[in-house]
Amino acid sequence: MKVLVAVKRVVDYAVKVRVTPTGVDLNNVKMSMNPFCEIAVEEAIRLKEKKVATEVVAVSIGPKQAQETLRTALAMGADRGIHIETDVRLDQDLQPLAVAKLLAKVVESEKPDFVVLGKQSIDSDAAQTGAFLAGLLNYPQATFASKLDIADKKALITRETDAGVETLESSLPLVLTADLRLNQPRYATLPNIMKAKKKPIESKPIADYGVDITPRIQTIRVAEPTARKAGITVPDVATLVEKLKNEAAVI
Amino acid sequence: MPQHSSIFSHSSILPIMFQTTLRSFSRASSRFASTLVVAEHNGETLTGGTLSAITAASKIGGDITVLVSGSNTASIAKEAAAVQGVKAVLHADAAQFDHAIAEELSSLVVTIQKGSNFSHIVAPSSNISKNFLPRVGAALDVAPFTDVLSVVDENTFQRPLYAGNAIATVTSSDSVKLLTVRPTGFEKAATTGGTGAVSAAPAAPAANLTRFVSEETSSSERPDLTAARVVVSGGRGLKSGENFALLNTLADKLKGAVGASRAAVDAGFVPNELQIGQTGKVVAPELYIAVGISGAIQHLAGMKDSKTIVAINKDAEAPIFQVADYGLVEDLFKAVPELTEKI
């Protein structure tokens, strides 16, 4: 069974972003693999370790530096990488519908039995690409997955819902998006990082895919959210209760 | 760039009064808007998020139709018809739509859209809508807007990026706008005053791609987290699941709900549906009490629109104090029981 995993390069989760009227300042900011994509890669590699998968192919769309993100996936254990090269802004201008259409092209040529993505990227927070891709391919989908079992060409998926969890059964091929609780991603060890340098990454310009990537949603402007007024520190519980009763009038 | 957005881009430099005029102008032009609200329910009643989505639809303007799906939902369809502003209710009463399986629900919405050509399709932000709406988008070749915080006009919306640290004003020229809306951004529509007529939704082809097996929901006597007036939330500082009893007692006294940070969920103290933050639920209660929570960016994304924030933490340097209206630097194991007693 072949597994395709999609990874995105985003601003590191711990960075406090600086907002400009046209977007978020991405100059000299630490970038990393989107945390949900790391979980997706880990799940793909675990399938290989369980001998369910035979090959794990990682794909990323983005600038030259997206290759670093692919190298990280290769160092974690993916077998080879596909880099779709573009210079458009990944958080605003390369949007989920375009990404899903590009990934659908990759699925057409690679024919994986299982496609895994993160449930959302922490920059644009759209949470759309996986379900888009499943819809375009007319594959079953399992979003927000926290547990996966694949046996006999069938997948049993536990997914997180608003009220708890539910379990679904799907045939393969399937598109799955990973929630935080699906697994704990491993750290790439130094020998594996060295080995990853020898693994192949195939790079192709985005234009070769013949997909219209014009942004469907236009950003008029970006602003910081309204700042909260600075609060006070209270010395004890009694003062806190008094303030909540009389000043804030919330209890 | 389409004409409406160029009008709007000027409005940022115009005085408020002009903006209002412009806005009402575009409202007036919205007489062709017609919105389908995809309702969510718990098997008995509409969710609060659905009522907020109906309010969002009324801000878009035009007629509002509500879709109620699932077996044995006649009373819910009737309830939807009575909601303020609702003109019509489409009722898809079939077991195929139970459990809101994405493939089936998207097939239904696409079938309805192809027959009725709504200008907007709106659903409350939830795991259900984030699951099925992109699939509708794939069928219609339309990009949805996720987590809409406010409606500027029928084509222009505000939504958060980067865990709520940036707010983008966005528009699209797609012929139909698909939106999931943040319930905390919109008041709940009144449950009376509507004059909707209920009719059967058109039959949709079954997708039969995914089979529902089972579900596990945590039942709780406390109010729903996203609808509660008071939320008491615990983090890693609670040290164990047993210690959450302290928060339960406080929440019960305040008739509030209990939430948690990701750290508390990952440590197994509480189930994941209590998680508040970028990847969990977004709440905006009157009073949010953060206990033993440091206040990471991802947590703040889920609660910083609360009216009053209280932080109880023994680390005076914790970032949570930067957003708290009232901060108490004390050991939670001493402060929480005392607070429960004094309220």
Side-chain angles (χ1 to χ4, degrees), chain A residues 11 13-17 19 24 26 36 89 91-92 95 97 101 119-129 131-132 134-136 138-144 156 159-171 179-181 216-226 228-238 240-241 243-245 247-251, chain B residues 2 5 8-9 12 99 101-103 126-128 130-131 134-135 137-138 141-147 156 159-174 209-218 229 254 262 265-266 272-273 275 278-279 281 286-287 297-298 304-310 312 323-330 335 338-339 342-343:
Chain A
V11 168
Y13 74 94
V15 169
K16 174 94 179 77
V17 295
V19 177
V24 159
L26 299 178
F36 293 101
R89 262 188 91 115
D91 60 339
Q92 285 172 220
Q95 294 176 355
L97 186 54
K101 285 178 180 176
K119 73 163 177 173
Q120 75 188 66
S121 63
I122 60 164
D123 50 0
S124 56
D125 280 334
Q128 293 173 1
T129 306
F132 255 141
L136 292 172
N138 197 31
Y139 283 5
Q141 68 182 57
T143 59
F144 310 132
L156 208 58
R159 59 182 299 273
E160 301 199 351
T161 64
D162 294 303
V165 292
E166 66 180 6
T167 303
L168 303 174
E169 187 191 70
S170 296
S171 55
D179 212 315
L180 278 173
R181 272 161 287 278
R216 302 293 285 273
I217 291 177
Q218 294 87 38
T219 304
I220 298 171
R221 66 164 180 270
V222 178
E224 283 199 51
T226 331
R228 288 191 74 94
K229 208 161 50 91
I232 56 163
T233 304
V234 293
D236 51 38
V237 171
L240 176 61
V241 173
K243 295 274 186 200
L244 290 177
K245 275 192 177 139
E247 200 173 88
V250 285
I251 57 170
Chain B
S5 55
F8 184 73
S9 63
S12 61
H99 313 298
I101 301 282
E103 294 86 335
S126 67
N127 285 16
I128 290 176
K130 286 179 181 169
N131 195 26
R135 215 170 161 106
D141 195 31
V142 169
F145 298 87
T146 304
D147 286 338
T156 316
R159 64 169 303 263
L161 303 172
Y162 291 90
N165 287 299
I167 308 295
T169 304
V170 285
T171 187
S172 89
S173 45
D174 285 332
L209 287 167
T210 299
R211 191 175 69 84
F212 173 85
V213 179
S214 63
E215 69 184 333
E216 253 177 78
T217 56
S218 57
R229 206 186 65 83
L254 291 165
R262 183 187 157 192
V265 173
D266 282 352
N272 64 275
E273 62 270 19
Q275 187 186 323
Q278 184 185 19
T279 61
K281 292 194 166 82
E286 297 266 301
L287 174 62
I297 294 172
Q298 292 77 12
K304 66 185 163 63
D305 293 326
S306 306
K307 187 165 162 265
T308 300
I309 297 174
V310 171
I312 301 173
V323 300
D325 298 282
Y326 303 108
L328 177 63
V329 183
E330 201 175 293
E338 194 184 339
L339 182 60
K342 289 205 162 108
I343 279 173

Side-chain angles (χ1 to χ4, degrees), chain A residues 171-235:
Chain A
S171 55
L172 299 179
L174 162 77
V175 176
L176 179 134
T177 76
D179 212 315
L180 278 173
R181 272 161 287 278
L182 185 60
N183 59 49
Q184 187 69 47
R186 71 193 65 189
Y187 289 104
T189 59
L190 189 59
N192 285 342
I193 293 170
M194 299 312 285
K195 264 187 238 161
K197 290 188 176 164
K198 296 205 178 78
K199 291 181 179 174
I201 292 179
E202 176 196 357
S203 197
K204 266 214 288 194
I206 202 163
D208 284 12
Y209 288 84
V211 168
D212 179 8
I213 61 157
T214 316
R216 302 293 285 273
I217 291 177
Q218 294 87 38
T219 304
I220 298 171
R221 66 164 180 270
V222 178
E224 283 199 51
T226 331
R228 288 191 74 94
K229 208 161 50 91
I232 56 163
T233 304
V234 293

